[in-house]
């Protein structure tokens, strides 16, 4: 256990942290429901859990809602384009079934594959996958929605909303991935430089890992915080107990 990690674990129990994590999860869920309805058209080689039937069911629900409410709106406003929305819905079902068939064929062949792989983009662009996922895929879907809006308002609106959702969801995926990598690097730094940081050495010698003197005193003196520390860190933060003369 390391002091910085334990401090972070304490913060995770606060209300503000729980609200942040909950909001991020909700945004990821909602954006994912829309994003999953377009990715089978523009990617291949999905991971089994990324393109699971459960995730696809969310996509089916989103498109079905567009069909129902869009059809109702078309009936009331003479918007038109209902048949194109139905066509795209059937195309989405067909593409998703085909992608699942690819996954099953790969599994039957015994090919190991990361189950959460988000798919290989089929856009022939000379850019990194990250840039394609973050910017070019959403731009392409949004452009297609804008072009089809005049033909079918339902299809155009679905694609434009899905493009925004795809943009948000892809950024969250890479944000979470980078956060995991940074946690791994920070843990390595904390394990290596904990003693140096507690002794007050400059950041040039601790790879940027510092523990403020006031924080050390607070963790050592506050009984509520101290109770959550490991015995090893409790001894480090209260060195006087370890160096006290023995009674005779």
């Amino acid at each position: 256990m390391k002091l910085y990690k334990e401090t972070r674990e304490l913060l995770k129990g606060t209300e503000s942290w729980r609200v942040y994590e909950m909001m991020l999860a909700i945004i990821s869920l909602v954006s994912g429901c829309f994003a999953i309805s377009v990715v089978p058209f523009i990617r291949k080689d999905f991971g089994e859990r990324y393109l699971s039937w459960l995730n696809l069911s969310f996509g089916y629900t989103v498109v079905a809602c567009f069909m129902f409410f869009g059809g109702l709106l078309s009936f009331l406003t003479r918007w038109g384009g209902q048949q194109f929305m139905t066509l795209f819905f059937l195309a989405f079902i067909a593409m998703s079934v085909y992608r699942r068939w690819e996954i099953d064929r790969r599994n039957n062949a015994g090919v190991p594959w990361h189950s959460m792989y988000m798919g290989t983009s089929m856009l022939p662009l000379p850019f990194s996958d990250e840039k394609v996922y973050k910017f070019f895929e959403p731009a392409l879907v949004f452009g297609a929605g804008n072009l089809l809006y005049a033909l079918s308002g339902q299809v155009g609106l679905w694609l434009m909303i899905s493009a925004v959702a795809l943009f948000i969801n892809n950024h969250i995926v890479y944000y979470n991935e980078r956060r995991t990598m940074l946690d791994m690097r920070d843990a390595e730094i904390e394990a290596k430089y904990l003693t140096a940081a507690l002794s007050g050495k400059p950041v040039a010698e601790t790879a940027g890992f510092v523990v403020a003197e006031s924080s050390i005193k607070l963790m050592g003196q506050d009984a509520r915080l101290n109770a959550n520390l490991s015995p090893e860190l409790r001894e480090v933060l209260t060195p006087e107990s370890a160096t006290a003369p023995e009674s005779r």
Side-chain angles (χ1 to χ4, degrees):
M1 297 287 286
K2 303 298 180 287
L3 177 61
Y4 185 74
K5 183 177 180 180
E6 290 187 344
T7 304
R8 184 170 55 191
E9 289 299 322
L10 289 174
L11 290 176
K12 285 185 178 180
T14 62
E15 184 65 25
S16 58
W17 185 276
R18 288 196 294 268
V19 170
Y20 164 75
E21 291 288 343
M22 182 182 66
M23 291 301 299
L24 187 64
I26 292 175
I27 293 172
S28 180
L29 175 62
V30 174
S31 62
C33 291
F34 282 90
I36 203 71
S37 68
V38 295
V39 290
F41 295 101
I42 56 179
R43 298 181 195 166
K44 61 181 181 178
D45 302 328
F46 293 97
E48 181 177 356
R49 286 193 296 173
Y50 181 86
L51 202 71
S52 66
W53 287 114
L54 177 62
N55 289 343
L56 285 171
S57 67
F58 290 124
Y60 296 149
T61 301
V62 165
V63 182
C65 288
F66 265 85
M67 287 184 58
F68 175 76
F69 291 108
L72 182 62
L73 186 63
S74 297
F75 176 76
L76 296 175
T77 63
R78 301 180 184 276
W79 196 1
Q82 173 68 21
Q83 67 276 18
F84 292 104
M85 190 68 226
T86 303
L87 179 63
F88 271 89
F89 186 30
L90 295 176
F92 168 47
I93 294 176
M95 285 301 300
S96 63
V97 170
Y98 176 70
R99 298 303 181 200
R100 285 297 311 183
W101 174 78
E102 290 181 324
I103 293 172
D104 292 339
R105 184 179 62 174
R106 185 179 63 228
N107 289 340
N108 293 333
V111 178
W113 203 257
H114 198 290
S115 64
M116 289 304 296
Y117 180 54
M118 56 197 296
T120 302
S121 178
M122 294 188 294
L123 302 182
L125 298 174
F127 301 101
S128 67
D129 290 341
E130 183 175 357
K131 288 185 173 61
V132 172
Y133 290 143
K134 282 184 174 181
F135 304 107
F136 291 99
E137 279 189 351
L140 174 68
V141 176
F142 190 89
N146 190 46
L147 289 175
L148 292 172
Y149 188 82
L151 182 64
S152 172
Q154 291 173 255
V155 174
L157 186 60
W158 161 53
L159 290 177
M160 287 189 286
I161 293 177
S162 296
V164 175
L166 188 63
F167 175 84
I168 295 173
N169 192 259
N170 287 347
H171 275 75
I172 291 177
V173 168
Y174 280 101
Y175 166 75
N176 287 332
E177 179 184 289
R178 182 169 179 81
R179 187 170 64 170
T180 300
M181 296 301 171
L182 291 176
D183 285 344
M184 294 171 59
R185 187 178 68 179
D186 289 346
E188 181 182 357
I189 292 173
E190 293 163 18
K192 185 176 181 180
Y193 296 105
L194 176 62
T195 303
L198 289 174
S199 62
K201 289 188 177 181
V203 294
E205 300 180 24
T206 62
F209 176 46
V210 295
V211 181
E213 181 181 359
S214 59
S215 297
I216 296 175
K217 290 181 179 179
L218 176 62
M219 297 294 290
Q221 296 172 358
D222 193 313
R224 292 173 300 175
L225 298 178
N226 194 276
N228 291 280
L229 297 177
S230 62
E232 294 81 4
L233 278 180
R234 198 174 297 121
E235 291 179 4
V236 172
L237 295 173
T238 56
E240 63 277 1
S241 61
T243 57
E246 296 182 0
S247 60
R248 296 185 181 179

